[in-house]
Amino acid sequence: MPIPRHATSITLGVLTLTGLSACDGRGTAHGTTIGVTATETGCQVARTELPAGTHTFAVTNKGDKITEFYVYDKDGAIKGEVENIAPGVTRKLPVELAAGEYQGACKPGQKGDGIRVKLTVTGTSRALTTDPKLKAAVDTYRTYVSREADDLLARTTEFAAAVKARDVAKAKALYPVARTHWERIEPVAESFGDLDPAIDARENDLEAGQEWTGYHRIEKDLWTTGDVSADGPVADKLVADVTELAARAKSVSLSPVQLANGAKELLDEVATGKITGEEDRYSHTDLWDFAANLEGAMVAVDALRAGLAARNGALVAELDTRFAAVQSALDRHRVGNGWKSYPELSTAEVKELSDLINGLAEPISKVGAAVAAQK
């Protein structure tokens, strides 16, 4: 179906240097899996000195809180992440790493800077992007990201102008339109960890001492009191932050595995934020975000289609079927050029969407490993 957070404080975890599968002479790891044990007080990584190449971090949560695991480069950009790891659950994160210094981070309770572990990557690898099909996938997706970033800036500027003019009706109409472009490329936007919380944090996401800014701060005022008279500075900061994000998005470094992980992250966003109705809790425009996340995931998978089909054609067919089923169910809730208010959906309709997303989550979780596999 062809369709179209930067932390400063660092706590080192307990390290156990064990087991790594064989690598070829160029340092490329084939099927390397690195165990990570996450608890409330530790982040045990089985190996912290790695050859350049693709590695899969198998993160097991042995704590009592939901956790997440990130890999950051030396500049704080997110190279890969896996969220919502429940106690007792193991989730895998494939990441393609060039030579350099990185940090792994376990985040118990999904809060704070995390328990940090230094990762050192050496040597050279046979990069996946030397595969012409996968290189084309990255180029195609980068063009998509660039276009969406430009549209995000244009629509956000319009939204901010309406807020500053205190035109509540216009600002309400523009809010979900602007956010559509954010949600389509959210994994790339989130990779700039310092900008993501400034632009997209919800009130309950705030860390101690963090000022609440961004879309959701204005959303609350628009839909609870209708008084945005004090939101001019917030609107200006939002435009400034989105301007910087759009500029960074033009030169962001991407790998085929990141595209695959991004598609999975977008579906996780739907399953944990949009389905619950907590993302846009004041405006109830969650279906706009749902649709944008779904499109972004489809675009990433479609960019990878040729390379993925050469590795696992059956997986491509299953993804097409499941994407089509989710899109069909979602389309029943269209209203004009937009979507129903989320509370208008019945319990049965929400369950249908949830079940379909969960059904898609399983095959989408296989894409990263399939792409990373050498033909």
Side-chain angles (χ1 to χ4, degrees), residues 63 72 74 80 101 134 138 195 232 247 253 281 350 352 365:
Y72 296 96
K74 63 181 178 62
E101 297 295 325
L134 295 181
V138 171
L195 290 174
S253 175
R281 62 193 65 171
V350 171
E352 178 190 31
S365 68

Side-chain angles (χ1 to χ4, degrees), residues 33-363:
T33 298
I34 302 165
V36 179
T37 300
T39 65
E40 273 74 29
T41 58
C43 189
Q44 295 182 333
V45 179
R47 176 93 180 210
T48 59
E49 295 184 3
L50 310 171
T54 301
H55 303 279
T56 297
F57 293 89
V59 187
T60 300
N61 184 0
K62 292 191 176 181
D64 297 323
K65 298 179 179 179
I66 294 175
T67 194
E68 53 194 21
F69 180 76
Y70 290 74
V71 176
Y72 296 96
D73 70 12
K74 63 181 178 62
D75 297 319
I78 298 170
K79 303 301 291 184
E81 64 180 286
V82 57
E83 301 178 329
N84 299 296
I85 310 170
V89 170
T90 298
R91 295 188 64 185
K92 294 183 178 181
L93 173 67
V95 187
E96 186 179 0
L97 300 174
E101 297 295 325
Y102 300 84
Q103 289 182 341
C106 299
K107 296 190 178 183
Q110 302 188 109
K111 290 281 189 178
D113 296 344
I115 302 167
R116 298 294 183 101
V117 178
K118 181 180 177 181
L119 304 174
T120 301
V121 180
T122 58
T124 57
S125 68
R126 185 173 60 200
L128 295 172
T129 43
T130 60
D131 179 330
K133 294 184 177 67
L134 295 181
K135 185 178 186 301
V138 171
D139 292 342
T140 296
Y141 187 72
R142 186 178 287 115
T143 298
Y144 174 76
V145 168
S146 178
R147 184 176 69 245
E148 288 298 319
D150 286 341
D151 289 342
L152 171 66
L153 178 56
R155 301 292 83 77
T156 299
T157 301
E158 293 172 2
F159 169 67
V163 171
K164 294 179 68 175
R166 303 183 188 180
D167 188 337
V168 171
K170 185 174 182 180
K172 282 184 172 182
L174 289 171
Y175 170 81
V177 176
R179 283 186 54 77
T180 288
H181 301 289
W182 167 272
E183 295 289 347
R184 285 173 179 163
I185 59 171
E186 191 164 9
V188 173
E190 286 183 339
S191 71
F192 309 120
D194 52 341
L195 290 174
D196 173 44
I199 293 171
D200 197 42
R202 297 165 298 182
E203 193 167 12
N204 57 290
D205 294 329
L206 301 179
E207 305 291 348
Q210 180 185 344
E211 180 187 5
W212 190 21
T213 59
Y215 292 115
H216 293 301
R217 161 72 188 277
I218 298 172
E219 176 204 7
K220 182 177 183 179
D221 290 341
L222 284 170
W223 272 272
T224 57
T225 66
D227 182 3
V228 292
S229 58
D231 286 338
V234 181
D236 285 339
K237 185 178 189 311
L238 177 60
V239 171
D241 288 337
V242 170
T243 299
E244 183 176 352
L245 184 143
R248 290 195 200 181
K250 300 289 184 182
S251 58
V252 65
S253 175
L254 295 170
S255 72
V257 172
Q258 282 179 289
L259 269 63
N261 289 343
K264 179 66 169 65
E265 289 166 29
L266 285 167
L267 293 182
D268 286 346
E269 286 285 335
V270 174
T272 61
K274 282 65 176 183
I275 284 293
T276 62
E278 64 182 274
E279 177 76 13
D280 295 294
R281 62 193 65 171
Y282 310 109
S283 62
H284 303 305
T285 54
D286 301 272
L287 287 184
W288 290 76
D289 289 358
F290 186 125
N293 284 162
L294 184 65
E295 180 189 313
M298 287 192 286
V299 169
V301 170
D302 203 52
L304 291 166
R305 175 175 297 273
L308 186 57
R311 290 163 170 78
N312 192 336
L315 180 58
V316 174
E318 182 179 5
L319 287 167
D320 285 348
T321 298
R322 291 190 180 273
F323 268 125
V326 178
Q327 188 67 64
S328 177
L330 182 61
D331 284 343
R332 292 197 286 273
H333 305 299
R334 284 188 181 275
V335 177
N337 293 324
W339 304 91
K340 290 179 182 176
S341 176
Y342 197 65
E344 293 179 26
L345 273 64
S346 68
T347 301
E349 288 171 330
V350 171
K351 184 178 186 304
E352 178 190 31
L353 290 172
S354 179
D355 289 347
L356 288 168
I357 284 293
N358 289 335
L360 177 56
E362 195 275 332

